[in-house]
Amino acid sequence: MLKLYYSPGACALASHVALEESGATYEVVRIDLSKGEQKTPEYLAINPAGVTPALETERGVITQNAAILAFIAQTRPQQNLAPVGDPYRMARFNAFNGWLGSSLHPALGRLLFSRPALEGDARAEAVKVVLTRLQLVEDGLLEGTWVMGDAYTLSDGYLMVFERWARLNDLLDPTRFPRLNSHLDRTQERAAVQRVLAAEGLEAV
Ligand SMILES: N[C@@H](CCC(=O)N[C@@H](CS)C(=O)NCC(=O)O)C(=O)O
């Protein structure tokens, strides 16, 4: 059976939502980042990078949200969770998810999770980078009401993770980011998302 290693509210939420949306049978293992459980020898044997998510499959472990999302969508094509039958559109799906993992996530991570916390000019610069990247999604990267246009895909659950972090930290001004705010609200209304939030002990924000 598929087994997801996740940390509540962290970026693994995207993979957790993807599994729930897919209807797959899966189990979850909670890794408490605040206790350093991601660095134990047992977990490093699963993901040597010492981060969540990691998805155990019958063929081995997959890491990186972007790869896990593509795997889930491609192994359950009947669920229409990504444009799996169209190489060009699938590349666009992968590109968006790759950008989240390599650009928006690191920018937010630096601002919100640096220890010691950023202060002064360093913090102001980090805020500027985050807002610039959020603006890029607001103005150009959303193809429609959903990331890929008219239909929900697993990219939407992934984007939701960072919209949640942004809203929780007063970075998602509704006047500046109306599309992102509406996208976050609509995504959190989905039944599968609500089930996952409850399972992780979270609430819609
Ligand atoms: N690009 C990776 C990022 C993974 C990542 O950085 N996960 C964070 C949580 S959001 C983590 O486990 N951090 C623990 C640590 O760095 O010790 C992905 O999407 O899977």
Side-chain angles (χ1 to χ4, degrees):
M1 192 196 300
L2 296 170
K3 189 189 280 188
L4 178 72
Y5 295 82
Y6 80 102
S7 319
C11 62
L13 180 57
S15 291
H16 199 171
V17 165
L19 285 167
E20 189 66 22
E21 294 275 7
S22 77
T25 304
Y26 67 96
E27 57 187 77
V28 292
V29 179
R30 180 184 171 125
I31 301 293
D32 191 333
L33 300 180
S34 67
K35 291 188 184 152
E37 289 176 358
Q38 73 278 26
K39 307 295 184 201
T40 62
E42 293 77 18
Y43 186 69
L44 290 175
I46 294 158
N47 182 1
V51 295
T52 58
L55 181 69
E56 264 182 15
T57 76
E58 60 186 15
R59 295 178 61 186
V61 174
I62 304 172
T63 60
Q64 296 290 329
N65 277 294
I68 293 171
L69 267 46
F71 173 81
I72 293 169
Q74 287 174 306
T75 49
R76 286 165 187 77
Q78 69 282 5
Q79 302 298 106
N80 294 320
L81 296 171
V84 294
D86 180 337
Y88 171 74
R89 297 287 296 155
M90 196 61 191
R92 302 255 319 177
F93 170 84
N94 288 326
F96 183 84
N97 297 337
W99 180 82
L100 288 181
S102 64
S103 188
L104 186 56
H105 183 177
L108 273 161
R110 177 170 152 70
L111 174 64
L112 303 178
F113 308 126
S114 287
R115 295 295 173 267
L118 298 182
E119 290 177 5
D121 289 348
R123 186 173 193 285
E125 180 56 29
V127 169
K128 201 167 126 191
V129 171
V130 165
L131 294 178
T132 303
R133 292 183 187 174
L134 290 172
Q135 195 77 55
L136 186 59
V137 188
E138 175 77 24
D139 294 343
L141 297 187
L142 291 179
E143 290 188 15
T145 50
W146 299 110
V147 170
M148 296 295 294
D150 295 337
Y152 177 91
T153 67
L154 298 184
S155 293
D156 294 293
Y158 195 9
L159 176 59
M160 175 197 74
V161 173
F162 306 118
E163 291 168 333
R164 283 174 54 88
W165 293 1
R167 186 178 278 174
L168 283 165
N169 289 280
D170 296 326
L171 295 162
L172 208 63
D173 176 2
T175 308
R176 180 167 176 178
F177 301 115
R179 296 179 77 204
L180 293 183
N181 275 280
S182 160
H183 178 268
L184 173 56
D185 293 339
R186 268 180 293 112
T187 306
Q188 290 188 127
E189 281 165 12
R190 293 178 68 82
V193 172
Q194 290 184 4
R195 287 195 296 274
V196 170
L197 291 177
E200 294 201 6
L202 305 169
E203 291 181 352
V205 297

